[in-house]
Amino acid sequence: HAGANAFSIMMDGKQPVAPSDVPGMSKETPSPLTAEQIEETIRDFGAAALRVKKAGFDAVEVLSAGGYLISQFLSAVTNKRQDEYGGPLEQRMRFGLEVFRSVRAAVGEGFPVIARINGNEFMQGGLGRKDLQRYAERLAKESSVDGFNVNVGWHQARVPQITTAVPRGMYAYLAKGIKERVDVPVVASHRINTPETARELLDDGLCDLVGMARGLIADPFLPQKAASGRESEIVHCIACAQGCFDALSRLTPVECLCNPKAGYEKERRIDRTESPKKVLVVGGGPAGMSAALAAKERGHDVVLYEREPTLGGQLHLAGIPPGREEFRELAVDLSAQLRVNDVKTVLNATVDKTVVEKENPDVVVLATGARPIRIELPGIDSPNVVDAWDVLLGKKKTGRRVVVIGGGAVGVETSMFLAEKGTLPADALKFLMVNQAESAEDLYELATRGSKQVVMIEMLSRVGKDIGRTTRWTMMQDLARYGVEVRADTTALRIDQDGVWVKTGDGEELLPADTVVMAVGSEPNNPLEGEVSDLEIPCKVVGDAGKVAQAFEAVHDGFNAGRSI
């Protein structure tokens, strides 16, 4: 029951209902539930649980977290009632306790009832972990709950919960806090994407079970691979949210960057071909590797060429900025899939017409990626101008004052990469905190104020337009916290030895800079298509070589091209 988070447009125009008239994610004002409606809703929870049992499921889990109806009764943020269901916390717990009693009465003893509860709401004025531990104790004792699945935060919370910047398994401490107070099994969840992390949490006693969701979308065979000693073959969730939570925000079905079959198991099923061909894939980035794997599964003889010494392409670049390291994991995973599936790969090899003639393929897939855009701007050839890719790869250094030109994903990530220079790393912060060497306020400043002054300019009115919705707000939040000055509606006019001259609504001004970083985007790099066409070999162009987009599109584009051969 979504409560105030329900959308009337999805309920035939009906007004959402909630404990109080406090708007939720829909921004609509809900109608406060009457006493009679509360009783009816409690009965409905029980009836729903009974249907689950009759349908043959092994257990039922009731959502008492995430900012939905039961959460709304629990939290002072959304519960302004003055009756027995509002007021102090003990009374705000009443609705949830009665819901679980109704569920237990409906399904009877012996049928597992699990409570999905918050470990911390992470809402200003909301419930913290100690209050929610009390709630868990009462659920276990008074409502016969058989287990707890510990969730993190509300959807509206401004603490990142599921994005790649969240360390693996970090929220298990919330499960531990509840486990120490109840005598039933407790499940830890959020950002657990490897058996190794899961084992560590179990071995350290933080939980009794580990919950995975997105990890099983990325690789449905993860449990089988872990059980059979094939963990190196797992394709891990990289917490990009591009296919799952971003899709939900668009009200479209869930997909996956890492697994192009997810959500399309029927439509994208690959049948073995009766006429195998030789397929040459040029480029070992996400699009090329995905194309090679799909073509190999189709039954073709596939060889993949990559000019660099390692596979992965721009995944390695995407994984350099802070909090984006998981993208490099996908490069490793796709490389492993090529090895497991016996796809021949040739590294450190530039492909030209001669190589194509030598390989003599029936089909060529061009996945040669993208290159940085070079714009016409006075002073762009000055020695103080560098490219964002070179900065991220460590090929170029920057001075203390940096102006980043371009506010797309690369500009945002490069700005964060530079802003973190000179900040204290995690182990140093923990050392200082444990030894009480600095105050909490000073530690925060040391963690967020580096040695560079970074200004990012964007000619459009909005920065980060090409970043997924689930991730974008966290990155915008970090830009502010790390002191990056963001200048939208700002156009670069020229560059000189003193910095960048820009034009805004107020006229022209100089942004002082020791280094100017160009992050204005990329363009397709496709030098081979003409030569392949001259050889009259069927050719498919995939990924950024055809149209620059996100890694999600590259993987899916490559997969669809490979399976269509």
Side-chain angles (χ1 to χ4, degrees), residues 64-68 70-79 89 92 117-132 135 151-159 161 173-174:
S64 179
Y68 295 107
I70 300 178
S71 286
Q72 292 162 23
F73 270 96
L74 275 172
S75 180
V77 173
T78 46
N79 188 341
L89 176 59
R92 299 200 306 274
I117 71 170
N118 277 132
N120 192 322
E121 289 181 359
F122 291 135
M123 293 287 289
Q124 187 173 1
L127 297 180
R129 56 191 179 87
K130 293 185 178 179
D131 289 331
L132 288 158
Y135 175 55
N151 184 43
V152 179
W154 285 19
H155 292 300
Q156 302 97 311
R158 305 312 290 175
V159 177
Q161 302 156 37
Y173 79 95
L174 296 172

Side-chain angles (χ1 to χ4, degrees), residues 15 31 33 82 88 104 148 152 158 160 185 221 239 247 283 380 427 432 439 467 484 549 554:
Q15 183 183 14
S31 173
L33 287 161
Q82 299 299 317
R104 172 57 68 203
F148 293 94
V152 179
R158 305 312 290 175
F221 303 102
I380 197 169
D427 55 351
L432 293 172
S439 67
I467 301 174
V484 175

Side-chain angles (χ1 to χ4, degrees), residues 252-322:
T252 59
V254 165
E255 304 172 74
C256 182
L257 186 160
C258 306
N259 177 11
K261 293 182 181 179
Y264 300 97
E265 288 79 5
K266 180 179 179 180
E267 301 93 324
R268 295 183 179 178
R269 182 184 64 207
I270 295 180
D271 297 318
R272 300 282 290 186
T273 182
E274 295 181 357
S275 55
K277 296 179 171 65
K278 181 170 184 181
V279 179
L280 168 63
V281 179
V282 184
M289 287 192 285
S290 187
L293 288 167
K296 183 70 175 183
E297 186 177 350
R298 187 94 166 87
H300 298 300
D301 176 20
V302 183
V303 58
L304 182 149
Y305 275 72
E306 167 56 44
R307 67 180 180 182
E308 300 293 335
T310 57
L311 296 167
Q314 288 190 58
L315 290 173
H316 293 291
L317 190 70
I320 292 173

